[in-house]
Amino acid sequence: MKKTSIILCILLFLALSIYPVYSYNSPLAEGKKLPDIELTIPKKQEHQQYLGLTGEGTFKIPQIKAKVVIIQIFSMYCPHCQREAPTINEFYRKIETSKNLKGKVKIIGIGAGNSDFEIDFFRKKYEVLFPLFPDGDFSIHKKTGEVRTPYFIGLRIMDNGKATIFYSQLGGPKNAQQFLNKLIQRSGL
Amino acid sequence: MRKNIFIITIFFAVLGLLSGSAFGLSETFKNNIYNPGKLKPIDSVLKVKVGEKAPDFTLPSISGEKISLHQLKGKKNVVISFVPAAWTPVCSDQWPGYNIAKTIFDENDAVLLGITVDNIPTLFAWTKQMGKLWFHVLSDFWPHGKVADMFGVLRSDGVSERALFVIDKEGILQYAHVGDINKRPDLKDLAKELEKLKNR
């Protein structure tokens, strides 16, 4: 019996040792740096202002003027993303109307496999106010480990410019307030 | 010996639980998708020509009706979307996109007919995951792929190409697009073609 317990403990230890290797293999694992993603600075003035960016060209997500950035990987072709669009809009409005969160927490969407036209169609259809970015050739999607949609990433940006993933989860929220509470708590903001 | 089997079972059970959680939850629809891998982009030769009359057909819809192309003649422009197979990755996304783009079709007085070579029960179960669809989903199952073959989009393995056809109210084919089966066509191109019909 004693021998069995020892073997069991060794095997459990091995299992737990392998676990971080599994999670670490995901490019979006919590605690890791965000993969190097370059996005085009939006043309819309209100989106530039929201992100704290100016001019033309590209930017990297940690350059967004915020302490926390929520990244939604979605697709206009994904039924779940379509159904959840009003909840995500509510999530955005809750941030923007909160004295404590406005300016500190920002949200962006990246449309996996979606062209400019498709992103624009989704924006108009669901009256999305936060910036959406196309990823027509799936290049960003590949960098994020080809996650399913909708996928949410929470990024904490420190004062020294370092950014760490604190939330990485498949599936969107059913309740905007609960989702916001959970993210704020996890972010340590 | 039994003890060893028990220990090994516990080990793999724990390992399985831990590794699964590393990837988070997955959605029901996506868990049921079969990935056939990368396929030969195009595997058929088109038999229809833009500017000529589109071949007529009658197919059963998942609604229980039989839909014929000639019924729509003089009434609506028709978009036919052939997708290769139910429960496969790209196809499962394409029609939900068209489902939220009804305005693009309405504005151009067009209807959409979605066709695959799957049978009605399969199409019923598959499209139910997409929510309520506003367009007819037709089964070209029997005689197998007859309509796909009439248009020249039946592949050698019995599924259809990923193809889009736009037929005007006179029944004339105005647009034919057979794309890479592995890629979803941009909605922009279809919207542009439908816009052309309005301006004719």
Side-chain angles (χ1 to χ4, degrees):
Chain A
M1 188 61 201
K2 198 180 169 188
K3 196 179 162 191
T4 308
S5 303
I6 291 167
I7 294 171
L8 196 59
C9 284
I10 291 170
L11 288 174
L12 276 171
F13 173 75
L14 276 173
L16 288 164
S17 315
I18 293 165
Y19 171 57
V21 177
Y22 272 117
S23 14
Y24 198 75
N25 277 342
S26 162
L28 297 180
E30 288 166 21
K32 280 182 89 169
K33 267 178 70 183
L34 189 74
D36 216 12
I37 297 169
E38 281 210 19
L39 299 170
T40 304
I41 295 175
K43 283 183 185 145
K44 285 190 176 198
Q45 197 66 42
E46 63 263 35
H47 286 165
Q48 286 196 8
Q49 211 173 346
Y50 177 72
L51 300 172
L53 302 164
T54 49
E56 292 175 352
T58 60
F59 71 99
K60 288 180 181 174
I61 294 171
Q63 286 177 260
I64 295 172
K65 198 180 169 195
K67 292 191 183 301
V68 167
V69 176
I70 309 300
I71 306 157
Q72 179 202 20
I73 298 178
F74 77 104
S75 166
M76 79 153 268
Y77 292 90
C78 148
H80 283 260
C81 308
Q82 297 166 2
R83 270 177 239 141
E84 282 164 11
T87 312
I88 307 302
N89 283 342
E90 194 191 337
F91 174 81
Y92 165 78
R93 279 194 299 272
K94 282 188 184 296
I95 296 166
E96 291 304 291
T97 52
S98 160
K99 276 183 192 170
N100 292 332
L101 302 179
K102 188 177 165 64
K104 292 180 188 163
V105 182
K106 308 272 172 85
I107 175 168
I108 62 166
I110 298 174
N114 290 181
S115 66
D116 279 315
F117 180 90
E118 290 163 336
I119 288 292
D120 209 40
F121 185 85
F122 190 86
R123 187 201 327 276
K124 284 177 191 159
K125 173 90 185 172
Y126 296 104
E127 299 172 337
V128 179
L129 293 173
F130 58 86
L132 301 177
F133 297 89
D135 178 29
D137 60 359
F138 289 98
S139 59
I140 298 171
H141 192 240
K142 281 192 183 84
K143 283 185 181 178
T144 57
E146 300 182 317
V147 292
R148 293 170 186 168
T149 56
Y151 197 97
F152 286 83
I153 305 157
L155 194 68
R156 182 79 162 97
I157 302 170
M158 307 311 284
D159 292 337
N160 60 8
K162 279 188 178 175
T164 315
I165 296 168
F166 69 85
Y167 181 90
S168 179
Q169 192 84 52
L170 176 71
K174 285 195 174 66
N175 180 296
Q177 188 62 55
Q178 282 173 11
F179 187 53
L180 184 58
N181 293 346
K182 184 166 73 176
L183 285 169
I184 297 307
Q185 194 191 4
R186 291 249 202 125
S187 72
L189 194 67
Chain B
M1 183 61 191
R2 272 187 190 169
K3 264 185 200 168
N4 288 344
I5 291 170
F6 172 74
I7 291 165
I8 289 166
T9 307
I10 293 285
F11 171 69
F12 281 107
V14 171
L15 192 61
L17 279 171
L18 292 176
S19 60
S21 69
F23 296 95
L25 301 166
S26 56
E27 298 174 285
T28 316
F29 188 68
K30 301 290 181 184
N31 272 344
N32 291 311
I33 298 300
Y34 173 78
N35 189 350
K38 197 166 164 60
L39 303 170
K40 185 179 173 185
I42 296 172
D43 186 31
S44 64
V45 180
L46 211 55
K47 292 180 182 173
V48 288
K49 271 188 185 167
V50 169
E52 291 184 0
K53 199 171 177 288
D56 191 24
F57 59 83
T58 302
L59 284 174
S61 165
I62 54 167
S63 67
E65 298 163 78
K66 292 227 174 195
I67 304 297
S68 300
L69 188 61
H70 68 258
Q71 290 171 338
L72 297 160
K73 199 176 171 188
K75 294 175 191 161
K76 291 280 180 188
N77 296 308
V78 179
V79 176
I80 298 174
S81 165
F82 280 99
V83 298
W87 305 106
T88 54
V90 184
C91 306
S92 299
D93 279 353
Q94 192 171 338
W95 289 351
Y98 297 157
N99 203 32
I100 61 162
K102 187 172 184 287
T103 47
I104 291 178
F105 293 82
D106 287 347
E107 282 165 8
N108 298 292
D109 210 12
V111 291
L112 171 64
L113 302 177
I115 306 177
T116 85
V117 298
D118 298 286
N119 66 6
I120 289 282
T122 301
L123 285 174
F124 173 81
W126 178 53
T127 55
K128 215 174 168 196
Q129 313 302 311
M130 300 173 188
K132 192 170 165 52
L133 300 182
W134 59 267
F135 52 89
H136 276 294
V137 173
L138 309 180
S139 166
D140 189 18
F141 180 67
W142 202 256
H144 190 81
K146 187 186 169 192
V147 177
D149 194 34
M150 275 160 53
F151 279 80
V153 291
L154 186 66
R155 293 168 67 99
S156 60
D157 61 356
V159 301
S160 78
E161 300 287 1
R162 190 175 310 287
L164 281 167
F165 296 99
V166 177
I167 299 156
D168 68 16
K169 288 178 187 172
E170 282 75 50
I172 306 299
L173 184 66
Q174 295 295 347
Y175 175 68
H177 173 80
V178 182
D180 180 344
I181 194 169
N182 305 291
K183 289 179 184 168
R184 189 179 52 226
D186 191 341
L187 183 63
K188 185 184 181 178
D189 299 332
L190 180 61
K192 208 166 69 183
E193 290 304 321
L194 286 172
E195 199 67 26
K196 279 186 198 168
L197 287 182
K198 198 162 66 176
N199 299 329
R200 266 162 56 90

